[in-house]
Amino acid sequence: MSGRPEMTAPHAAPLHLDLATILDEPMNCLTLGGMRRLREQIESAASACEAKTTHARPLCVSSSSAHFCCGADLQWLRSASASHRSMFIDEYLVLSEAIATYPGLTIGLADGPVVGGGVGLAAGLRVTIGTPRATFRLPELALGGIPALALPPIVRRIGSRAFTAIALTAELLDPSRARDIGLLDVVVHDRAAGSRTAAQLSRRAGSTTGALFEAVNNYLRSPEEYRVVATEIARGQWSEVDTAVRHE
């Protein structure tokens, strides 16, 4: 459809990224080293796909600890030098880009609190599953700041009005409320059910879902130019359907 090399069958099982192991921090706070390790694993999975011309393996981001991700380590940030703070900002933005541009399905399984920059991390994933223990909160305004770094992925997911509301109120969102505004896509009764749902979604991932994600990214980058992209995609699909019908 797009002139790319023929790809092999997709992986059935997702690649699990455990934030508790990768971030190696009691509350899964985002540290410079932890974000770098997470980004490198995501980039490694993307590179493996490109090198082997296989469909990108689905990624499932979860945590074996009581917290999904509690955002930046504020104690570290207060004591860090200006250069280290700049490095932290750059790494968060690069990590967000790696998540947003991953060519395959990305799934978040939240079984605990998601706070601050962690909300941005979860919002960047294509599908987010939550258990009754999953809560979401943007506390930055109460602490004298704004959630500037996490803004892009959250606004892309839930829109500017909902983002502004939860940032202004610093409301603690339970799973039902998080699903209502779009931070959660699926609510399950426990972690095991979430893992099963992630596995089911992963089995459906393949070349078509990869094309879907690419189309979404093209639209987000340039809505004005998306008409050209959509026309090319549609013509290619219809041409393939027509060819298939003629060979029946």
Side-chain angles (χ1 to χ4, degrees), residues 16-243:
H16 289 276
L17 302 179
D18 182 2
L19 294 179
T21 301
I22 297 169
L23 299 179
D24 192 24
E25 207 282 335
M27 296 179 67
N28 283 354
C29 287
L30 297 172
T31 61
L32 189 56
M35 289 191 295
R36 184 178 295 119
R37 288 190 293 272
L38 178 59
R39 172 179 57 80
E40 288 173 347
Q41 292 201 29
I42 293 171
E43 290 176 344
S44 176
S47 297
C49 157
E50 295 173 1
K52 299 177 181 178
T53 62
T54 60
H55 300 306
R57 186 175 181 182
L59 300 182
C60 182
V61 181
S62 63
S63 171
S64 58
S65 75
H67 302 81
F68 180 81
C69 180
C70 287
D73 183 344
L74 297 182
Q75 185 175 356
W76 179 86
L77 283 176
R78 291 190 184 103
S79 62
S81 65
S83 62
H84 278 89
R85 290 177 183 174
S86 294
M87 291 170 64
F88 180 93
I89 292 169
D90 291 343
E91 190 59 55
Y92 185 91
L93 294 174
V94 173
L95 171 60
S96 296
E97 181 69 11
I99 292 171
T101 59
Y102 185 74
L105 177 63
T106 53
I107 304 168
L109 173 53
D111 185 34
V114 189
V115 183
V119 179
L121 188 156
L125 300 167
R126 300 190 187 280
V127 178
T128 308
I129 303 165
T131 73
R133 287 164 29 90
T135 58
F136 293 76
R137 186 170 182 241
L138 293 176
E140 285 83 354
L141 261 71
L143 300 172
I146 64 172
L149 298 181
L151 183 152
I154 301 175
V155 169
R156 282 197 296 266
R157 178 177 267 268
I158 68 174
S160 59
R161 291 184 64 183
F163 167 79
T164 301
I166 64 174
L168 283 174
T169 62
E171 177 185 1
L172 182 66
L173 307 175
D174 63 18
S176 177
R177 175 78 171 121
R179 181 175 56 188
D180 287 345
I181 67 171
L183 283 175
L184 278 179
D185 300 297
V186 182
V187 177
V188 294
H189 61 270
D190 59 21
R191 186 194 296 264
S195 296
R196 289 194 296 271
T197 301
Q200 290 168 359
L201 291 170
S202 297
R203 284 194 290 271
R204 298 172 189 163
S207 59
T208 304
T209 51
L212 170 65
F213 303 149
E214 184 177 0
V216 171
N217 286 336
N218 281 328
Y219 175 76
L220 291 174
R221 280 193 296 268
S222 180
E224 297 80 9
E225 297 178 6
Y226 180 70
R227 178 175 179 176
V228 176
V229 175
T231 299
E232 292 177 353
I233 293 172
R235 283 175 176 167
Q237 290 176 156
W238 294 337
S239 176
E240 289 187 358
V241 169
D242 183 54
T243 300

